[in-house]
Amino acid sequence: MAEQRRDARVGRDVGEGARGARTREVAEAWGELVATARRTVADGLVVGTSGNVSVRVGDTVLVTPTGVPYDRLTPDDAVGVDLDGRQTLGVLRPTSELPMHLAVYRATEARAVVHTHAAHATAVSTLVTELPLIHYMAGALGGPVRVAPYAAYGTPELAENMLQALTRRTACLLQNHGTLAHGDSLDRAYDRTAQLEWMSRVWLLASSVPGLSPALLSREQLEEAGERLRGYGQPGPGANGVSVP
């Protein structure tokens, strides 16, 4: 009998320890999410509360809340949902773009998603159906960056269009809307977002010179660059990012 009580107590302690560890993990992930969301504003990738950020912790997806300025978010404002979109954490309503975020997590191994209204990338999304191959760093995003056809924000249709554009890619443009990038960490998803905005800006600048057209890479050249980029950087966690060699 004493043994049973001791086993029950040990089991309870283990369970509480696991819950405590998960609580700390969620708290740390929320802090990183808020920092990333604030960075999108500081770097000019979003204006006001446009755009949104999410990170997955187990079966919980932490997301920025709708309509709340990022500089006002505190540790007590954490918002989480399960993979079916049911809110499991917090009282603030999740971002209206939740369907896009959940679609990415259901379809990929992504651990983080960043969505912005970056100006140059959004401008490009209104001009082409695929970002022209202006730079080899497109290879770090899986290949030529596609533009998802327009659909109203927050709709299943937009989420489906986005998934099609993301096929074998880690980033895409959303027509007349913005960008979406994912990765195995918030840093990786953010870096891909910034790289996409930079490439969009380069193409717009090169295309704006009267009487001249920018030289573009071939698919073969891009594939070669993609192969080389896979071995770029230091080995181990965090390697093979998208910083330009």
Side-chain angles (χ1 to χ4, degrees), residues 120 135 137 193-203 244:
H120 297 93
H135 198 275
M137 285 305 292
T193 300
Q195 193 67 53
L196 178 53
E197 170 67 354
W198 179 82
M199 287 192 293
S200 297
R201 185 182 182 191
V202 168
W203 181 71
V244 181

Side-chain angles (χ1 to χ4, degrees), residues 43-46 116-124 131 141 145 171 173 178-179 190-204:
D43 291 351
L45 298 177
V46 305
T116 77
H117 293 179
H120 297 93
T122 302
V124 169
L131 176 62
L141 303 180
V145 178
L173 297 169
T179 70
Y190 184 86
D191 286 347
R192 287 169 174 162
T193 300
Q195 193 67 53
L196 178 53
E197 170 67 354
W198 179 82
M199 287 192 293
S200 297
R201 185 182 182 191
V202 168
W203 181 71
L204 288 172

Side-chain angles (χ1 to χ4, degrees), residues 6 19 45 49 52 67 102 123 130 143 157 159 209 241:
R6 184 170 63 251
R19 284 192 296 274
L45 298 177
T49 60
N52 25 79
L102 293 180
E130 183 179 279
E157 182 183 3
V209 180

Side-chain angles (χ1 to χ4, degrees), residues 10-199:
V10 170
R12 185 172 62 252
D13 291 344
V14 169
E16 289 173 353
R19 284 192 296 274
R22 176 50 57 90
T23 299
R24 286 192 298 274
E25 186 179 8
V26 167
E28 290 172 1
W30 176 252
E32 292 175 8
L33 180 150
V34 171
T36 300
R38 290 173 178 169
R39 188 178 175 190
T40 64
V41 177
D43 291 351
L45 298 177
V46 305
V47 176
T49 60
S50 64
N52 25 79
V53 178
S54 68
V55 62
R56 181 173 177 177
V57 180
D59 291 331
T60 297
V61 176
L62 300 174
V63 295
T64 47
T66 185
V68 179
Y70 300 141
D71 60 358
R72 296 183 191 172
L73 292 175
T74 72
D76 294 330
D77 293 324
V79 176
V81 301
D82 63 20
L83 292 174
D84 292 320
R86 291 185 292 264
Q87 188 156 352
T88 59
L89 178 65
V91 296
L92 296 175
R93 285 190 297 130
T95 171
S96 57
E97 295 289 14
L98 185 60
M100 276 205 305
H101 290 259
L102 293 180
V104 172
Y105 292 120
R106 293 184 192 122
T108 73
E109 297 298 313
R111 309 303 295 181
V113 174
V114 174
H115 164 51
T116 77
H117 293 179
H120 297 93
T122 302
V124 169
S125 80
T126 70
L127 299 170
V128 294
T129 58
E130 183 179 279
L131 176 62
L133 294 177
I134 194 70
H135 198 275
Y136 64 79
M137 285 305 292
L141 303 180
V145 178
R146 306 183 187 101
V147 179
Y150 179 81
Y153 76 89
T155 61
E157 182 183 3
L158 176 58
E160 180 57 32
N161 291 350
M162 173 215 62
L163 278 184
Q164 292 297 318
L166 278 178
T167 302
R168 297 184 299 279
R169 302 288 186 270
T170 54
C172 71
L173 297 169
L174 307 171
Q175 189 179 53
N176 296 87
H177 188 153
T179 70
L180 186 135
H182 66 77
D184 57 7
S185 68
L186 280 165
D187 281 344
R188 190 69 57 86
Y190 184 86
D191 286 347
R192 287 169 174 162
T193 300
Q195 193 67 53
L196 178 53
E197 170 67 354
W198 179 82
M199 287 192 293

